[in-house]
Amino acid sequence: MQDLLLVRYGEIFLKGLNRPYFIRALVRKIRYAVRGMGADVHVHDGRIFVRGFSDLDTVIDRVTRVFGVHSVSPAVEMPKEDFDALCDQAIDMTKDLKGTFKVNARRSDKRYPMNSMAINEEVGYRILNANPELKVDVHHPDYLMNIEIRDMAYLYVKVVPAVGGMPVGTNGNATLLLSGGIDSPVAGWMIAKRGVQINAVHFHSYPYTSDRAKEKVLDLARKLSFSCCGIKVHVVPFTEIQMQIHEKCPDEYTTLIMRRYMMRIAERIAEQTESEALITGESIGQVASQTMTALGTTDAVARMPVFRPLIGFDKSEIIAIARKIGTLEISEQPFEDCCTVFTPRHPATHPKLEKILEGESRLDEEELIQRALDGTEVIRV
Ligand code: ATP
Ligand code: MG
């Protein structure tokens, strides 16, 4: 008899030829999640199992946060031949339960001498005899005593829901514009959940923003790194560009011109890192630079698709996810973001592209971008 964790993945993505590729990727990601815990992750009979760990709660906590895992069950694996032993095990697993239950046997080994119905009846009967606090309810039971008869027997009661999504890396790479705020880490997490490997770009305006502000962004990246399986953060020096925009461009357009520069530079980095899209934490109307017209002017400089997974979210909804994924308390630390330092008093909410282009014509775009790229520091977290 052995305690193990049975891992379930979404079935929708598993049709056809991609199945082995998907499962291999998921196993690698689960191994990454439980590294250092002495656990063994392997595939057997089309199922993913984790065994050999000592701390079940930590293993469950880690594995349920792996993108691609839909639920897990702590289970007992035992030989199927001794039916009395199976019953005793089921009795033991239900001995502390109160309320209603149902036995749910599945027999993939059709040579097994009892069929599912017979197993349900006999095990159910013995559980009822052993635990007077339990009643049978076949329609809406509080608990399901699951018994799977495969090459071995697997017994479990508890099903712990997991994060879902797809294994990181099975859907390519994208580049996240990561600020120290609440929104962008959530945006990155949501796209990573769809199986996308995240690469981050942060614009740093030293000395207007402190080293502590940069450290905060790296802390956010470290927090995301568990789910994202490692992130490369590109820290781009942005002070010169911001100063020049501030000096030479019309005040009401400085934020948008700055955002267009961020897009251009992020896209260059995205190209170098084989990303296929950019990700930002914007949502409609949150600030002046996020009106639909304003977003249109930032989109206009990007050739790649720009993903804004938070586009229709309220701040309170974003905060709820940030709290769940553990980035909120880092984002709430009070260090200046480079955007807030040079914020104009009256930013344009219905910007005219001609005005932006006119302002930008006063800047030496290629040289500014090149110098920023040359000064970029890459930190792997
Ligand atoms: P967040 O809380 O994520 O920073 P925000 O509400 O502060 O978002 P803005 O400051 O307008 O919004 O920025 C919009 C988006 O632009 C951010 O979500 C992020 O993707 C990107 N961005 C802003 N500042 C930076 C920065 N310094 N470095 C990298 N990306 C940034
Ligand atoms: Mg911000």
Side-chain angles (χ1 to χ4, degrees):
M1 194 177 92
Q2 194 179 19
D3 289 330
L4 45 77
L5 195 71
L6 202 158
V7 180
R8 294 183 200 81
Y9 35 80
E11 303 295 327
I12 331 162
F13 312 116
L14 292 176
K15 306 261 185 281
L17 296 174
N18 279 335
R19 189 185 165 102
Y21 165 72
F22 179 94
I23 293 176
R24 274 199 306 277
L26 188 55
V27 166
R28 276 200 304 277
K29 299 309 173 192
I30 296 171
R31 282 191 184 130
Y32 177 86
V34 299
R35 69 196 181 284
M37 297 194 69
D40 169 41
V41 184
H42 69 111
V43 182
H44 176 67
D45 206 7
R47 283 287 193 72
I48 300 175
F49 294 99
V50 186
R51 320 169 182 262
F53 47 82
S54 52
D55 180 353
L56 177 66
D57 289 341
T58 307
V59 167
I60 291 178
D61 172 61
R62 292 197 189 175
V63 175
T64 51
R65 287 189 286 140
V66 173
F67 295 138
V69 175
H70 283 245
S71 65
V72 301
S73 288
V76 168
E77 178 189 64
M78 59 194 297
K80 60 191 169 187
E81 289 75 19
D82 184 348
F83 185 72
D84 287 334
L86 283 187
C87 292
D88 289 344
Q89 181 59 39
I91 287 169
D92 188 58
M93 289 170 90
T94 50
K95 69 176 188 294
D96 298 325
L97 304 182
K98 288 189 175 90
T100 58
F101 83 107
K102 169 183 161 180
V103 179
N104 180 35
R106 264 172 296 165
R107 185 183 60 143
S108 60
D109 170 9
K110 300 294 176 204
R111 289 164 310 177
Y112 197 69
M114 295 170 80
N115 67 19
S116 315
M117 278 296 241
I119 299 171
N120 287 343
E121 276 170 25
E122 184 58 28
V123 179
Y125 174 74
R126 295 200 199 181
I127 289 175
L128 275 177
N129 275 345
N131 182 348
E133 307 277 359
L134 280 175
K135 286 195 176 61
V136 172
D137 179 346
V138 289
H139 299 297
H140 304 287
D142 299 328
Y143 304 101
L144 269 184
M145 175 67 245
N146 292 283
I147 301 176
E148 297 188 8
I149 306 291
R150 297 170 160 250
D151 58 343
M152 299 282 280
Y154 297 91
L155 286 78
Y156 60 90
V157 177
K158 208 159 139 189
V159 178
V160 186
V163 64
M166 298 171 81
V168 166
T170 55
N171 270 326
N173 302 340
T175 292
L176 167 69
L177 284 83
L178 180 62
S179 72
I182 294 172
D183 308 332
S184 47
V186 173
W189 183 88
M190 286 176 71
I191 298 295
K193 182 165 178 276
R194 297 301 305 158
V196 176
Q197 177 73 53
I198 299 295
N199 181 46
V201 177
H202 175 66
F203 297 92
H204 186 55
S205 303
Y206 189 80
Y208 296 96
T209 51
S210 63
D211 273 338
R212 196 59 199 87
K214 173 174 138 188
E215 217 23 68
K216 174 185 176 183
V217 171
L218 293 176
D219 283 346
L220 283 170
R222 283 184 197 109
K223 193 49 134 180
L224 289 176
S225 167
F226 174 84
S227 303
C228 297
C229 307
I231 299 184
K232 257 200 245 171
V233 185
H234 301 253
V235 180
V236 181
F238 205 51
T239 318
E240 186 191 9
I241 293 177
Q242 282 200 300
M243 300 283 278
Q244 290 225 4
I245 294 172
H246 196 60
E247 273 164 34
K248 298 182 180 168
C249 303
D251 195 48
E252 59 184 327
Y253 287 110
T254 51
T255 305
L256 282 181
I257 295 176
M258 184 191 83
R259 303 211 40 76
R260 282 160 59 92
Y261 267 84
M262 285 186 178
M263 287 294 195
R264 292 180 176 109
I265 294 170
E267 190 169 63
R268 300 276 186 104
I269 292 171
E271 278 160 2
Q272 290 163 12
T273 54
E274 288 168 9
S275 286
E276 295 167 72
L278 300 174
I279 306 162
T280 79
E282 292 157 314
S283 80
I284 295 176
Q286 194 188 72
V287 287
S289 61
Q290 295 174 28
T291 64
M292 287 190 282
T293 329
L295 292 174
T297 66
T298 37
D299 259 359
V301 297
R303 285 167 308 235
M304 287 182 184
V306 180
F307 294 148
R308 298 182 172 93
L310 306 180
I311 198 72
F313 280 41
D314 293 350
K315 196 73 185 188
S316 56
E317 294 170 307
I318 301 170
I319 287 173
I321 303 175
R323 184 173 289 122
K324 183 178 87 177
I325 66 176
T327 54
L328 184 66
E329 57 177 327
I330 306 171
S331 296
E332 280 178 340
Q333 294 167 8
F335 302 104
E336 286 282 278
D337 187 282
C338 71
C339 303
T340 51
V341 177
F342 294 96
T343 309
R345 226 168 323 148
H346 300 293
T349 50
H350 294 283
K352 302 263 181 300
L353 192 57
E354 314 86 76
K355 294 255 178 71
I356 292 174
L357 294 173
E358 199 275 316
E360 284 182 347
S361 69
R362 300 175 203 167
L363 305 169
D364 189 338
E365 182 180 312
E366 198 43 47
E367 213 178 291
L368 284 173
I369 291 178
Q370 204 48 57
R371 265 206 295 277
L373 288 173
D374 290 344
T376 295
E377 182 191 2
V378 183
I379 302 162
R380 206 180 262 281
V381 300

